[in-house]
Amino acid sequence: MRDPTLPWRDQPFDRHRESCAGRLRVSRAVTDGIRVIVVGAGFSGLAAALALTRAGAHVRVLEARDRVGGRVLTRWLPDGTQLDLGAQWIGPTQDRMYALVAEHRLATFPSAAVGAPTLLWAGQRRTEPPAQAGRVFRLLDEYAARLDPAAPWQAPEATQWDRTILGGWLRATAGDGDTADYLGRLLAGGLLATGADELSLLHLLFYLRSAGGTGPLLGMAGGAQQDRIVGGPPALAERMAAALPPGTLTLATPVRAIAQTIDGVTAWTNTGRVDGDAVVVALAPALASRIRYDPPLPALRDGLTQRMPMGSALKVHAVYPEPFWRADGLSGVATSSAGPLTETVDNSTPTSPLGVLTGFSYSSNAAALREMSSEQRRRCLLDAFATVVGPRAGDPMELVEYDWSAEEWTRGCFSGALTPGTWSTYGPQLRAPVGRVHWAGTETATRWTGYLEGAVRAGERAAAEVLAV
Ligand SMILES: Cc1cc2nc3c(=O)[nH]c(=O)nc-3n(C[C@H](O)[C@H](O)[C@H](O)COP(=O)(O)OP(=O)(O)OC[C@H]3O[C@@H](n4cnc5c(N)ncnc54)[C@H](O)[C@@H]3O)c2cc1C
């Protein structure tokens, strides 16, 4: 029976399959005036749409949510405290993000940085990581420098690194179990929101290479956590969307299916169809695989998306009348080798007197927190904050949680990561267009993959790819 809410289900998808299967190579004589559908209005989709529009293409952006921005969301407290529930930081060498902030007349402010970070390591409080951690970072940076971030599978050691589980490599390399556990939490958790035993050494090396190494990735001032955007990243996404020609963007319209023929491409939504000459799918591969394709995607491309799950992080904010830890000489910035929170930061807004501590929990720790009742979880999180800054952390004005894994149109964060063994076999599929279907999203970036910067660069790369056909 026909379901009026799902018109795409009744369309004769198979009609053109014979005529285009196996020969979806596309050629166009002119790019001016081509019609491009962009799926997703995160930073990648918005960047693609702006680049295409500026090049003269007719663009339609279809976004599932009733807002733009994707993995960014900012909540405001009545006094103006800015709680960024999704992405929040940008840092040096993320040049496209700083350029967009300037172009759209926004500003940045530095992350709160008062005092030295604390390291909760094997029951001790330290200010410096153990010496063997520095040795592991140097080795990782040296290995990462040998990779081409556009083709990490081509490195001579790639196959071996791809079958090496990061956790096992750390246990063999770090010198002792505590350091291995700590580094696993910091690198697999803090960077990819996954577990060290779920990740290949090669994927971590690719990630490091794309950002320039452990220093730029892990640093606050001088690193990826240096600055925040006044108004939050959603303010930038909204301005990017507002710069698109009227009628370009349609919200609350998930794309359910994409059909392509030798003549064009159609995106099917719950309420109708949009036709174009090309489509840019600006989603994490795990989300892109939930769209139905006609003809079905090649085996290797589908195989890739089956092997690229989203990370699993919980980001929680505890709000206090003041950043009381500063008076005790504590920065609020901590990393930990055990417990539910791998990292905490002082996330207070400079224009507000309130103090904000933000904590991150990853992988199995995040899963355990999700299993708890909200009261158990609150207790567990506040105990963890108290370990960093003392018992006053136990009584916040507010505790704000947001779980991106529970979001239908995100399903995890910070980004998707290839599982062990996948780069070697499926790596070339990550960006390779399939006929008229082009892939964007931060996961396809070669520079700052997993970050807002990577999302923008990937969107602009996909736009250039469409225009170059
Ligand atoms: C808690 C958290 C903290 C983070 N911290 C940082 C940080 O500090 N700095 C940083 O740079 N990055 C950070 N990130 C990562 C950053 O948010 C992402 O790299 C970036 O937002 C990805 O952008 P994107 O456009 O590639 O994907 P997305 O933002 O996921 O955009 C995809 C869009 O597509 C939509 N969509 C999904 N399915 C469909 C469909 N079928 N049809 C139509 N639309 C669809 C979604 O609603 C979404 O709007 C963080 C992420 C999270 C969640």
Side-chain angles (χ1 to χ4, degrees):
M1 200 220 267
R2 189 176 195 284
D3 180 345
T5 63
L6 300 174
W8 54 271
R9 282 224 175 122
D10 301 319
Q11 300 304 320
F13 270 15
D14 293 341
R15 206 179 48 199
H16 299 292
R17 182 165 300 162
E18 270 183 24
S19 66
C20 63
R23 51 188 179 91
L24 283 169
R25 255 173 236 104
V26 181
S27 72
R28 267 190 308 276
V30 286
T31 55
D32 193 33
I34 69 165
R35 299 163 308 155
V36 186
I37 305 160
V38 176
V39 183
F43 274 78
S44 207
L46 291 170
L50 284 169
L52 287 161
T53 304
R54 283 171 187 157
H58 299 297
V59 182
R60 286 288 306 275
V61 181
L62 302 173
E63 165 57 46
R65 288 182 165 99
D66 60 4
R67 62 171 181 83
V68 296
R71 283 170 253 180
V72 302
L73 190 63
T74 294
R75 192 183 141 190
W76 297 92
L77 299 182
D79 75 319
T81 295
Q82 176 181 327
L83 297 182
D84 293 325
L85 307 182
Q88 66 171 62
W89 286 299
I90 60 174
T93 75
Q94 298 184 352
D95 303 333
R96 290 298 302 130
M97 280 303 291
Y98 283 102
L100 284 168
V101 167
E103 181 188 333
H104 293 283
R105 298 177 190 285
L106 289 167
T108 61
F109 63 96
S111 301
V114 186
T118 305
L119 214 140
L120 301 170
W121 185 82
Q124 303 164 21
R125 267 188 108 82
R126 308 170 61 124
T127 49
E128 290 290 330
Q132 52 276 35
R135 191 172 51 77
V136 172
F137 286 149
R138 280 191 296 280
L139 197 57
L140 288 170
D141 286 338
E142 186 194 311
Y143 287 176
R146 295 185 206 165
L147 295 182
D148 172 359
W153 58 88
Q154 286 177 350
E157 307 92 335
T159 308
Q160 182 202 332
W161 287 340
D162 203 17
R163 63 165 84 112
T164 301
I165 301 295
L166 176 66
W169 182 84
L170 287 171
R171 285 187 285 278
T173 312
D176 68 84
D178 287 326
T179 307
D181 288 350
Y182 171 72
L183 291 177
R185 283 164 64 93
L186 200 65
L187 295 166
L191 300 181
L192 285 143
T194 186
D197 290 321
E198 300 173 65
L199 195 66
S200 75
L201 177 59
L202 183 61
H203 192 80
L204 176 69
L205 294 173
F206 157 71
Y207 203 85
L208 297 177
R209 178 72 175 91
S210 88
T214 51
L217 274 167
L218 297 172
M220 299 286 293
Q225 286 68 234
Q226 176 172 289
D227 293 316
R228 297 175 63 190
I229 299 171
V230 177
L236 178 55
E238 282 155 22
R239 291 191 186 195
M240 290 167 75
L244 291 168
T248 302
L249 173 67
T250 310
L251 296 175
T253 305
V255 169
R256 301 295 188 179
I258 293 173
Q260 58 174 322
T261 69
I262 49 173
D263 301 320
V265 62
T266 301
W268 294 94
T269 70
N270 289 349
T271 50
R273 61 186 287 170
V274 177
D275 298 313
D277 299 305
V279 59
V280 173
V281 178
L283 314 179
L287 273 287
S289 74
R290 295 178 182 195
I291 294 174
R292 179 181 168 194
Y293 297 86
D294 182 62
L297 294 175
L300 285 175
R301 167 68 203 188
D302 195 68
L304 171 91
T305 60
Q306 292 179 42
R307 291 162 178 79
M308 202 167 173
M310 300 301 285
S312 169
L314 278 178
K315 180 178 182 185
V316 289
H317 304 266
V319 184
Y320 303 94
E322 58 184 345
F324 60 86
W325 49 91
R326 294 181 188 170
D328 299 332
L330 295 170
S331 65
V333 178
T335 50
S336 147
S337 67
L341 296 179
T342 296
E343 292 147 339
T344 59
V345 291
D346 182 337
N347 223 357
S348 311
T349 314
T351 49
S352 154
L354 301 185
V356 179
L357 273 185
T358 298
F360 294 87
S361 182
Y362 303 122
S363 185
S364 54
N365 291 119
L369 286 166
R370 287 188 186 101
E371 293 277 12
M372 295 176 188
S373 69
S374 55
E375 192 40 47
Q376 282 173 323
R377 189 165 56 248
R378 177 185 167 87
R379 206 54 290 145
C380 181
L381 290 167
L382 294 180
D383 285 351
F385 282 126
T387 313
V388 176
V389 295
R392 286 175 72 187
D395 188 24
M397 297 161 63
E398 219 177 320
L399 185 69
V400 179
E401 306 174 50
Y402 195 83
D403 187 359
W404 290 90
S405 295
E407 285 282 302
E408 181 179 12
W409 303 113
T410 299
R411 283 299 179 203
C413 66
F414 311 115
S415 59
L418 280 76
T419 53
T422 301
W423 270 117
S424 316
T425 314
Y426 299 90
Q429 312 305 319
L430 185 58
R431 277 178 300 281
V434 178
R436 297 172 181 276
V437 183
H438 298 256
W439 311 107
T442 191
E443 286 79 5
T444 68
T446 56
R447 189 87 178 104
W448 285 108
T449 184
Y451 288 75
L452 295 167
E453 175 78 12
V456 169
R457 287 182 187 234
E460 291 173 347
R461 185 264 310 144
E465 205 175 84
V466 168
L467 295 167
V469 171

